Amino acid sequence: MKGTVVLSHGLDSGPQASKVTALAEVAEALGWASVRPDYRDLDATRDPMAIDERIARALANAPANGPVVFAGSSMGAFTSGFASCRRPAEALFLMALPLSIPDYPRPFEAARVPTVLVHAWDDELCPVEAAIAFARSRGDTLHLVPDDHRLGAHVAYCAEAFARLLHGLERR
């Protein structure tokens, strides 16, 4: 195995969601292990402070040693960024990233590692302008697509972008 990809689903989703499933298939085809923590019990509380437990669960699913890539969609992207600050990561792949969560006291953080974002122009929950500003401030790769928050019309596109990120890690 080349390493492990920790794939975090969004708030109203689960570990079998289409985007994280597509990314898991890409990772495994390229020789990476993948894990998909289940956050549904935490998400059911709708308590913003449960985000800290989400981050802890993502970290608990990452191996102690070896290369790790954190990836996720929406709340899963938020979780992945924070996890990357606590456990060294090779890269981040963030879809439909919220840069703040109402009533969650901490501003978003992410390690300064190769990062790819996919965001929808018409995201009704996470303003595209915030994603653009975040990516610009770090020099991250940003893909903007004509879709809504769920990126439902761009699952294959997300998988292809993720494959390019993993291939890029092999060349380093």
Side-chain angles (χ1 to χ4, degrees), residues 72-92:
S73 180
S74 190
M75 182 69 80
F78 196 76
T79 301
S80 295
F82 279 108
S84 74
C85 293
R86 296 190 189 162
R87 198 277 187 210
E90 298 298 308
L92 284 167

Side-chain angles (χ1 to χ4, degrees), residues 1-6 26-34 63 65-69 87 89-91 162-172:
M1 284 293 150
K2 296 176 181 175
T4 303
V5 177
V6 179
V26 164
E28 291 163 13
L30 295 176
W32 289 75
S34 70
N65 299 303
V68 170
V69 172
R87 198 277 187 210
E90 298 298 308
F162 187 58
R164 284 192 300 275
L165 173 65
L166 294 180
H167 280 302
L169 295 176
E170 293 172 10
R171 291 188 218 114
R172 293 189 332 176

Side-chain angles (χ1 to χ4, degrees), residues 48-72:
M49 296 316 295
I51 293 169
D52 292 335
E53 182 57 32
R54 256 181 163 264
I55 296 163
R57 194 169 292 176
L59 292 167
N61 278 271
N65 299 303
V68 170
V69 172
F70 289 103

Side-chain angles (χ1 to χ4, degrees), residues 112-124:
R112 295 259 180 188
V113 297
T115 301
V116 174
L117 291 88
V118 180
H119 207 88
W121 280 110
D122 297 318
D123 190 317
E124 67 281 9

Side-chain angles (χ1 to χ4, degrees), residues 1-162:
M1 284 293 150
K2 296 176 181 175
T4 303
V5 177
V6 179
L7 297 158
S8 294
H9 64 79
L11 183 63
D12 291 319
S13 190
Q16 303 307 317
S18 59
K19 289 187 297 292
V20 293
T21 297
L23 299 188
E25 290 170 358
V26 164
E28 291 163 13
L30 295 176
W32 289 75
S34 70
V35 293
R36 294 184 254 177
D38 189 346
Y39 306 108
R40 290 176 293 183
D41 60 321
L42 302 171
D43 296 347
T45 69
R46 296 293 195 201
D47 178 2
M49 296 316 295
I51 293 169
D52 292 335
E53 182 57 32
R54 256 181 163 264
I55 296 163
R57 194 169 292 176
L59 292 167
N61 278 271
N65 299 303
V68 170
V69 172
F70 289 103
S73 180
S74 190
M75 182 69 80
F78 196 76
T79 301
S80 295
F82 279 108
S84 74
C85 293
R86 296 190 189 162
R87 198 277 187 210
E90 298 298 308
L92 284 167
F93 189 80
L94 309 173
M95 300 171 284
L97 173 67
L99 288 157
S100 65
I101 302 293
D103 299 321
Y104 186 69
R106 295 177 25 206
F108 180 70
E109 296 178 49
R112 295 259 180 188
V113 297
T115 301
V116 174
L117 291 88
V118 180
H119 207 88
W121 280 110
D122 297 318
D123 190 317
E124 67 281 9
L125 300 178
C126 304
V128 68
E129 293 80 7
I132 293 168
F134 176 78
R136 179 181 291 135
S137 74
R138 296 167 38 103
D140 293 335
T141 299
L142 173 62
H143 299 271
L144 295 171
V145 296
D147 209 336
D148 60 21
H149 182 70
R150 293 198 174 279
L151 293 167
H154 288 84
V155 174
Y157 183 92
C158 292
E160 291 165 9
F162 187 58

